[in-house]
Amino acid sequence: MAHDAVLHPPTSTGLDNRKLAIWTFIGSECLFFATLISTYVVYKGQSLNGPYPHEDWTNPATGKVMERVFSIPLVTFGTAVLLFSSFFVVLALNGLQRGKQKQFIGWLSATVVCGLFFIGMQVYEFTHFVTEKGLGFTTNLFGSSFFTLTGFHGTHVSIGVLWLATLLYLGLRGKMGPEKALNLEIAALYWHFVDVVWIVIFPVVYLMK
Amino acid sequence: MSDMSATHTEGHSHPGWQLYVTIAIILFALTAMEVGAYEIAERGMTGTFGTFVSQMVVEILLVLSAAKFALVAMFYMHLKQDHKLFSGLFVFPLLLAIFVVLVLFGLFFYNRGQNGIWNMPPWS
Amino acid sequence: MSTAHESTGIKSWLTTVDHKRIGILYGASAFVFFLIGGLEALMIRWQLHAPEQTFLSPDKYNQLFTMHGTTMIFLGIMPLSAMFFNYMIPLQIGARDVAFPRLNAFSYWTFLLGGLLLNASFLFNAAPNAGWFGYANLTSKQYSPGLNTDFWVAGLQILGVASLAAAVNFTVTILNLRASGMKMLRLPVFTWMSLITQILLLLSFPIITVALIMLMYDRFFGTSFFSPGGGGDPLLWQHLFWLFGHPEVYILILPAFGIISEILPVFSRKPLFGYTAMVFSGCFIAFLGFGVWSHHMFAVGMGPVADTVFSLMTMLIAVPTGVKIFNWIGTVWGGSLQMKTPMYFALGFIAMFIIGGLSGVMHSVAPADLQQTDSYFVVAHFHYVMFGGSIFSLVAGGYYWWPKMFGRVLDETLGKVHFWMMLIGFNLTFFPMHFLGLNGMPRRVYTYAAGLGFETDNLIATIGAFTIASSFAVFLWNVIKTSRRPADAPADPWNGATLEWSIPSPPQHFNFAELPTVDSRDAWWAAKRKMGGFAPEPKHYPEDAVHMPNPSWWPLVTASGILIFFIGLILGVVVPVMLLGGAVLLTGIYRWAFEPAFS
C-alpha cells in the first residue's frame, strides 16, 4: 500500500530494526557480564576466610569444619536444563514460522518450564549455601562475587522467562501467527544469550579451581 | 515495524529440526566432557590421559565452553546463516569483553607475583 | 490524541515522540544544567582567587567540585551532544524520525529525572562529594557515611540507562534508516562520529554500571568489593571506572569532532579534506580508547610493564587525532572563508584542542606524569580538551544549526562578542593552570597557603572564569533578542552541504515529504549543483501529508518507575518504595509494548 511504503520504507540494510536492536543490546550485555566475571576471577583465592567453593575449611575461631560449597551434580543438571531450553525455543520458533501452532505452543511451554526450573534450582542452591553451608552475601569475597555474578544472571533468566511467558500467553489467546514470528525470534535471541552467558559461567565458576 | 517481512527477512531456507537435535546432542556431550574433565582432575586420575587432563583442565574447559558458545551462537542464534552485520555487532563486543577479562586478570595477578617471568615486585 | 499533528501545550511536550522536540528538550535541559555547573565553577574560583579564603568550607568545596565535574560531563556535554544527535541525525540521513521514537522519548525523560535526582541532593545538603570519579574506598560507608555518595550512585545509574537506550536507538537509526543511495561512506561526518560515539556508549557504560552496583552493595549490604578490610581492592574500582572513563572522554569529544567537520567545509566553501581518513581515524581512536585507561593510574604502582604499555598506547592515540587536525587545516587551506560566528568558534576549537592535545601527550610520558598527576596541570589539560574542545564545538554547532531549529539566525555581532570574550576568558582561566600544576599546586584542594607562588595565577584564573560567565550572558541576551524577531530564516542560510538544509527552517514535523535519493557525499551541495548552483525555498506541505507515530505517555511513566525505584534505594533500601518503582516500571513497559505506534 502506498501508505505503508511511505510509513515503512525498506531499511538500508534490509534487516529489521528490532532484530538489529536486540543484537546491539546483546553486544552491550557482553561487557556487563565481562565485568562481573572479571571481578569473580580477580577475587578468586583472595577471600580472607571460608567457606570456599572447592575445598573444606576449618574455621579457626570455632574449630568447625565448613564443607566445600559447590554441588557439581545439581548445577550440571541445571546447566543441561538451560541448554535444552535453548533447543526447545528454537523448535518453538520453527513451529511458529511454519504456522504449526501446536508445535509452537508446546515447545514454548517447555522452554518456560525449563527456565522456571533453572531459577528454582538457583533459588534452592542459594538458600542451601546460606542456611547449610554458611556462605552468605557478605561472608567473604567469594560469596559476594559469586552471588552478584550468578544473581544477575538469574535476574536475566527471570526477565527472559517473563518475556517468553508473555508471548506464550498471547499464543494461547490466538494472537501469535507466522507474521508475528519476529517477536518470538527476538525474545529467543535474548534467551540464547542468557544461556550462552551460563555456558561461560559454569566452567569458570564451578569447574575451575 | 516489519510488515514487509512476513516470516523472516533473510530469504534463506531454514535448517530442519534434525540439525537442531544434532546440536542439542553435541551440546549435551560437550557438557558431559566438561564435567568429566573436572572429575578426572578432582580425583587425581593417574596414567598418561589422567595426568594430561589434570594438568590441562583449565585449558580443556575453556576450549569446550568456547565450542558450546560457538554452536549456540552460530546455529541456535542463526549467526551462521544471517547477515554478517549481526555477527559483527556480537563478535566485536565479545572480543572486547574477552580482552577486558584477560587484561584485568593480568594486571591483578602481576601484582601478586604469581606470574613466572613477570614475577617482579612493582617499582623494583 | 489520534493524529500526530504537532500541537502546543505541556501535554504535547510530555508525550512527544518527535525527535526534533526531544532534541530541543535535551538542549534546554542541558543548557540549564550547564549554567548550574558554571555557577559551581564560579564559586570554586571565588574560593580560590586568593590564599586561605573562607567563602566555602572544605565539605562544601568537595560537593561543588564533585558536582561541577559530574554536571558538566553527564548533564552538560553529553546531553548537549544528544540535542544534536536527536535533531540532526535523522535529517542528515534523510529519515523521518529515529528507529524507535518512544524509546527516544524514554531516554530523554530518564536523563532529566536522573539529573534532577542528582541535583536534588543539594536540598539535603548532601551533594556528592567524593569527586566525579568516586574513588574507593573514600566512597565506602565508613568514610562517606552520608547520603552524598548514594545520590551519586543512583543518579549515575539512571543516567546510564538513558544513555544505553539512546545508543541502541541511534545505532539502529544510522545503520537502517539512511536515505536511498546513502552508503556508509557517504554519511555526513557528524553522523559518522555520532555512530562511533553510540558504539562507545554501548561498550563502556555496562562496565561502570557493574562497578556502581558493587559500590552500592558495599555501602548498603556490607560486601567488600572495594574495601581492604574485607579483602577487597580499591584499585579494582579505579580499573573499572577508567575502563569506562576513558572511552567516556572520547564519547565527549567525537561528536565535537563531527560538528567541526561539518562547519569547516561549509564556511570554507570546500569539501572536507580526507573524508575517508576522518572516518577511519575516528574508528581507530574509539578502538584504541579501550586500551589506554590506566594512564589515569600511573601513580598507583601497577609496575613498569603496565606503565610502559599504557604509556605507549596513549602516545599512539595521538596519531589518529593528529590526522584529524591536519585534515581540518587542509579543509580550510585555500578555501573561501566565510567568517561568521560558527566559523570563529570552529577555528577557536582547533587551536584550543591542539593545546589540550599537547598537554595530553605530555601526560602520556609516565615518568613525567608522576609529577603532573593530581596537580593543576591535569585540570588545565582536560579543560582545554573538554571546554576548548567539546564546548567550543557545541557552541559552534549551536550557532550553525540555530536557524534550522528555530527559524532565526542568531545575531552576528553579539556572536562575535561572545566568541572573543569566551576565547579570552577561557585562556585566562586555564592557561595559568599549566604553571600552577608544574609548580606543584595539587588538585581538589579547597585552599592554598600564601607564599607558595600560587596567588597570581589563581587570581588570573578567577578573572577568566567570570569573563567566561559574562560571555554566556551575551549569548543569552543574543537568544532573547533573536527570539523577538520573526522566524523567517531561509532553509539554507549558510549554503550548507548536507540534507538538513534542504527542508524548511524549522522543518515540518515529518521532515521530508518525499524521502531524498542520494548519490554522493555532501548530498545537498551535489543536489544544488544539479539545479544550477541554487535551490529555491522548499515547499511547505499540509501538516497531515505524512502520518507520523502517535505521542505516548508510556516513556515518561517508565522513566518515573526507574526514578521511584532509586529513590527507594537511597532512602535506605526501602523495599515498598522500590517495589512501587518496579511496578510502575513494569506497567510502563507492558503498556508501551502493547500500544500501537501508529493509530
Side-chain angles (χ1 to χ4, degrees), chain C residues 561 564-570 572-583:
Chain C
I564 297 170
F565 176 84
F566 277 100
I567 288 176
L569 188 70
I570 296 177
V573 201
V574 177
V575 175
V577 177
M578 291 170 75
L579 284 176
L580 173 67

Side-chain angles (χ1 to χ4, degrees), chain A residues 68-95:
Chain A
R68 59 222 293 240
V69 163
F70 284 157
S71 160
I72 301 301
L74 174 68
V75 180
T76 306
F77 189 57
T79 305
V81 164
L82 204 58
L83 278 177
F84 276 115
S85 74
S86 265
F87 171 52
F88 296 156
V89 82
V90 170
L91 294 178
L93 179 60
N94 205 300

Side-chain angles (χ1 to χ4, degrees), chain C residues 201-514:
Chain C
L201 282 163
L202 287 167
L203 300 176
S204 62
F205 263 83
I207 301 175
I208 193 177
T209 303
V210 172
L212 287 169
I213 288 170
M214 299 196 308
L215 176 60
M216 194 177 78
Y217 285 168
D218 274 9
R219 288 181 62 81
F220 285 112
F221 302 119
T223 52
S224 300
F225 284 108
F226 307 118
S227 295
D233 192 342
L235 274 193
L236 180 63
W237 170 268
Q238 291 197 29
H239 279 293
L240 295 182
F241 182 82
W242 288 117
L243 268 165
F244 151 77
H246 196 80
E248 167 68 9
V249 315
Y250 293 111
I251 289 166
L252 296 173
I253 199 64
L254 283 172
F257 285 172
I259 294 174
I260 297 306
S261 305
E262 300 282 323
I263 291 176
L264 290 178
V266 170
F267 291 84
S268 310
R269 299 258 157 102
K270 246 178 107 216
L272 183 70
F273 186 95
Y275 172 94
T276 322
M278 290 302 249
V279 169
F280 282 104
S281 62
C283 295
F284 198 45
I285 288 171
F287 179 68
L288 280 181
F290 274 100
V292 300
W293 77 91
S294 287
H295 66 215
H296 300 268
M297 297 164 65
F298 280 143
V300 308
M302 295 183 294
V305 175
D307 283 350
T308 312
V309 170
F310 283 107
S311 208
L312 290 173
M313 293 293 286
T314 309
M315 292 175 193
L316 187 58
I317 211 168
V319 173
T321 316
V323 164
K324 286 184 174 291
I325 293 176
F326 282 113
N327 280 5
W328 286 321
I329 295 174
T331 305
V332 175
W333 194 277
S336 165
L337 302 195
Q338 313 298 307
M339 293 310 291
K340 299 275 163 65
T341 309
M343 188 58 160
Y344 277 92
F345 280 100
L347 293 173
F349 160 91
I350 297 179
M352 299 302 102
F353 185 78
I354 288 176
I355 296 175
L358 289 174
S359 55
V361 171
M362 288 170 72
H363 281 319
S364 75
V365 182
D369 189 61
L370 284 186
Q371 191 276 318
Q372 298 157 12
T373 196
D374 282 339
S375 77
Y376 260 83
F377 194 85
V378 185
V379 180
H381 160 68
F382 67 68
H383 281 97
Y384 265 87
V385 287
M386 286 209 281
F387 192 125
S390 301
I391 296 290
F392 265 73
S393 170
L394 288 164
V395 171
Y399 280 95
Y400 177 56
W401 277 314
W402 200 270
K404 182 56 52 186
M405 296 192 286
F406 301 110
R408 300 168 176 88
V409 181
L410 285 168
D411 184 273
E412 257 311 300
T413 312
L414 288 176
K416 287 179 173 125
V417 171
H418 177 192
F419 170 73
W420 287 110
M421 285 180 71
M422 188 159 117
L423 184 73
I424 291 169
F426 168 76
N427 281 290
L428 277 179
T429 313
F430 297 108
F431 203 74
M433 291 187 186
H434 293 103
F435 303 112
L436 281 172
L438 291 178
N439 285 334
M441 182 173 175
R443 286 173 75 171
R444 312 176 198 131
V445 291
Y446 76 102
T447 191
Y448 50 93
L452 293 171
F454 298 156
E455 291 89 327
T456 319
D457 287 326
N458 268 295
L459 183 59
I460 297 173
T462 300
I463 294 171
F466 280 88
T467 312
I468 296 176
S470 313
S471 78
F472 276 97
V474 170
F475 173 70
L476 272 171
W477 170 235
N478 196 345
V479 169
I480 293 170
K481 181 175 171 211
T482 308
S483 72
R484 295 199 191 132
R485 297 190 53 250
D488 58 2
D492 190 7
W494 312 118
N495 194 2
T498 41
L499 289 175
E500 71 268 28
W501 304 108
S502 68
I503 51 180
S505 297
Q508 296 188 266
H509 78 270
F510 47 76
N511 302 344
F512 301 92
E514 286 159 38

Side-chain angles (χ1 to χ4, degrees), chain A residues 3 5-18 20-22 24-25 27-29 31-33 35-36 38-39 42-43 46-48 137-138 140-141 144-145 148 152 162-163 166 170, chain C residues 96 99-100 164 167-168 171-172 175-179 202-204 206-207 209-211 213-214 217 221-226 228-234 236 240 515 546-548 586 590 594 598:
Chain A
H3 176 78
V6 153
L7 231 57
H8 309 299
T11 59
S12 313
T13 56
L15 308 170
D16 186 276
N17 284 344
R18 289 173 297 162
L20 212 49
I22 192 71
T24 306
F25 175 67
S28 182
E29 290 263 84
L31 272 303
F32 182 82
F33 282 104
T35 313
L36 288 169
S38 299
T39 303
V42 158
Y43 281 149
Q46 301 300 302
S47 294
L48 297 180
F137 189 39
T138 58
N140 55 11
L141 285 176
S144 305
S145 55
T148 304
F152 269 100
L162 203 59
W163 191 348
T166 306
L170 287 173
Chain C
R96 295 218 164 93
F100 305 106
L164 278 170
V168 172
T171 302
V172 176
L175 291 176
N176 247 7
L177 264 57
R178 288 168 281 140
L202 287 167
L203 300 176
S204 62
I207 301 175
T209 303
V210 172
I213 288 170
M214 299 196 308
Y217 285 168
F221 302 119
T223 52
S224 300
F225 284 108
F226 307 118
D233 192 342
L236 180 63
L240 295 182
L515 294 174
V546 179
H547 192 193
M548 294 296 286
L586 269 176
Y590 269 89
F594 287 101
F598 291 82

